[in-house]
């Protein structure tokens, strides 16, 4: 027992030191790959509590792995070496099974990430800058009419800035994850629909490139005191009216007493408001002048780089009100990237763990096969002496390696079918039992088993019977 401790614990300490150095190098490699908008990403490092926990865990692991071989030696003296071999095989199978679970999870997250990134948001975010303001009613008037008059002046000044093609206001930007849900009913139809409500100014659809499919967009004269108008997206138009044109039809919000009927003047393309991976409700738009809100998002279409236009846009706004604060200023293309932030982080983490597990499983399988073939050198020499060919020995080692790998692979696949169901809320456009992902993992693991077994098997096939019997 003492000899086992003396031999194993220094190896454990050396392994912990190398592991810490490897973790530091891995962090330097992976942190730059994380999204820049990730909160506190600059604080990701190996902190002292984590370092101390890792050292304690390494020393405890060294004690554990030094005790286990001693107990196995004692057991093998009583029951023979077969139990020792079985424990080793079970450990390799468990390692492969865990690797399979991580690889399947990483594969599902990868396919989901690619599916979400390929989703068409319908609007065009290129060269569009988004920014937010909050209107102070104590400064700009208490009535909606006064607030809209201020917003109209502000948008007009931004739009007149050199390099700006168009500017518009909306109460919430697409893909922001925020909704304003209402239920509306249609005149002459026994239909009530839950919708996402948005207030937008006249140039909003043109600025964001949202397609106008029928009717007209909002005009500057769609203001308070004029007949209420609204625009539907094509989802709700098809749901309620089918092939019939909705232009000129009317709807209203039934829960608001005295709410007037709103005439439908246009139909636009349905865009994704809550996220690229979720899209539960159709949308209805109101003119900002008729449904004014204090919190405003301004979208600005620019001829060049939208961020380069930020100082000029800020200056234009301050010409109207020097005290007007701006916040959350960013290109809309970056806003789309923000919606992928959580998925990208999950993919980087799980993918890194899967790659590391695959490497450790390869090393473990190679070590086991190499050790067992070395212990059986006398047996292989006898087989060669009585007529076995090197190809026979090569095939035998491969069969035994594949048996170990296949058992771990089968257990891993069974565990994956159960565990990956927990990822159902994190995957999009792919099922938890995706055949392509599982097939790819099986192929990768079989390749790893073959490669890890090749060198020991090749060494066996080149064994000379006389030298092997002499050395044994």
């Amino acid at each position: 027992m003492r000899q086992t401790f003396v031999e194993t614990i220094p190896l454990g300490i050396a392994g912990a030191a190398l592991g810490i150095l490897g973790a530091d190098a891995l962090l330097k490699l992976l942190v730059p790959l994380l999204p820049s908008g990730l909160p506190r990403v600059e604080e990701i490092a190996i902190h002292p509590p984590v370092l101390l926990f890792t050292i304690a865990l390494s020393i405890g692991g060294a004690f554990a792995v030094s005790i286990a071989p001693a107990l196995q030696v004692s057991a093998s003296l009583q029951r023979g070496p077969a139990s020792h071999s079985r424990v080793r095989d079970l450990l390799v199978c468990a390692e492969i099974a865990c690797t399979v679970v991580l690889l399947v999870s990483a594969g599902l997250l990868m396919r989901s990430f690619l599916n979400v990134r390929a989703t068409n948001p319908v609007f065009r975010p290129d060269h569009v800058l988004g920014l937010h303001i909050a209107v102070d009613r104590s400064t700009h008037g208490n009535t909606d009419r006064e607030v809209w008059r201020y917003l109209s002046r502000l948008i007009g000044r931004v739009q007149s800035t050199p390099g700006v093609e168009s500017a518009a206001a909306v109460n919430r930007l697409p893909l922001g994850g925020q909704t304003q849900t209402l239920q509306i009913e249609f005149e002459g139809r026994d239909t009530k629909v839950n919708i996402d409500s948005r207030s937008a100014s006249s140039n909003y659809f043109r600025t964001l490139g949202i397609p106008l499919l029928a009717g007209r967009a909002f005009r500057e004269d769609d203001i308070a005191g004029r007949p209420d108008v609204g625009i539907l997206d094509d989802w709700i138009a098809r749901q309620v009216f089918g092939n019939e044109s909705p232009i000129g039809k009317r709807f209203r919000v039934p829960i608001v007493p005295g709410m007037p009927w709103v005439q439908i003047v246009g139909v636009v393309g349905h865009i994704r408001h809550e996220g690229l991976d979720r899209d539960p409700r159709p949308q209805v738009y109101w003119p900002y002048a008729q449904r004014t809100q204090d919190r405003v998002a301004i979208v600005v279409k620019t001829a060049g780089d939208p961020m380069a236009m930020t100082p000029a846009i800020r200056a234009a706004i301050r010409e109207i009100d020097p005290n007007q604060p701006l916040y959350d200023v960013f290109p809309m293309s970056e806003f789309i990237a923000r919606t992928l932030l959580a998925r990208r982080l999950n993919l980087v983490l799980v993918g890194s763990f899967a790659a590391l597990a695959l490497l450790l499983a390869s090393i473990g399988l190679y070590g086991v096969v190499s050790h067992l073939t070395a212990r059986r050198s006398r047996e292989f020499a006898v087989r060669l002496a009585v007529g076995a060919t090197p190809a026979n020995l090569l095939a035998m080692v491969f069969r035994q390696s594949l048996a170990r790998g296949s058992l771990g692979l089968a257990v891993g696949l069974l565990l994956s079918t159960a565990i990956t169901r927990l990822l159902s809320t994190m995957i999009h456009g792919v099922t938890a039992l995706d055949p392509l992902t599982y097939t790819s993992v099986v192929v990768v693991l079989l390749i790893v088993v073959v490669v890890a077994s090749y060198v020991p098997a090749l060494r066996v096939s080149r064994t000379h019977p006389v030298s092997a019997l002499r050395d044994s």
Side-chain angles (χ1 to χ4, degrees), residues 68-79:
L71 297 177
Q72 288 178 348
V73 169
S74 176
S76 64
L77 291 175
Q78 299 175 11
R79 298 191 295 270

Side-chain angles (χ1 to χ4, degrees), residues 257-332:
M259 180 71 177
W261 288 101
V262 179
Q263 185 178 28
I264 302 169
V265 296
V267 177
V268 295
H270 174 82
I271 68 174
R272 292 177 179 267
H273 272 143
E274 291 196 29
L276 289 173
D277 56 347
R278 56 191 185 275
D279 197 18
R281 298 180 191 88
Q283 297 117 27
V284 169
Y285 299 89
W286 321 75
Y288 219 111
Q290 294 182 350
R291 288 178 68 93
T292 305
Q293 302 192 36
D294 298 350
R295 296 191 177 274
V296 188
I298 297 177
V299 288
V300 184
K301 178 76 171 179
T302 63
D305 179 11
M307 286 304 293
M309 292 293 302
T310 302
I313 294 172
R314 287 182 183 272
I317 291 175
R318 285 170 180 159
E319 283 185 23
I320 303 299
D321 181 2
N323 298 317
Q324 177 63 63
L326 277 66
Y327 62 97
D328 252 356
V329 181
F330 48 80
M332 287 299 295

Side-chain angles (χ1 to χ4, degrees), residues 210-260:
I210 301 173
L212 180 65
L213 304 179
R216 65 171 177 87
F218 295 134
R219 297 191 300 239
E220 296 294 337
D221 59 352
D222 291 324
I223 59 176
R226 302 273 298 186
D228 288 350
V229 296
I231 293 177
L232 311 180
D233 73 2
D234 56 335
W235 272 25
I236 192 171
R238 287 195 304 269
Q239 178 183 344
V240 177
F241 299 100
N243 295 327
E244 183 182 355
S245 173
I247 305 302
K249 306 295 193 300
R250 300 198 301 176
F251 68 90
R252 68 179 177 183
V253 181
I255 61 171
V256 179
M259 180 71 177

Side-chain angles (χ1 to χ4, degrees), residues 129-141:
L129 185 73
L131 56 94
H132 292 79
I133 65 173
V135 179
D136 183 2
R137 285 186 178 256
S138 64
T139 302
H140 301 291

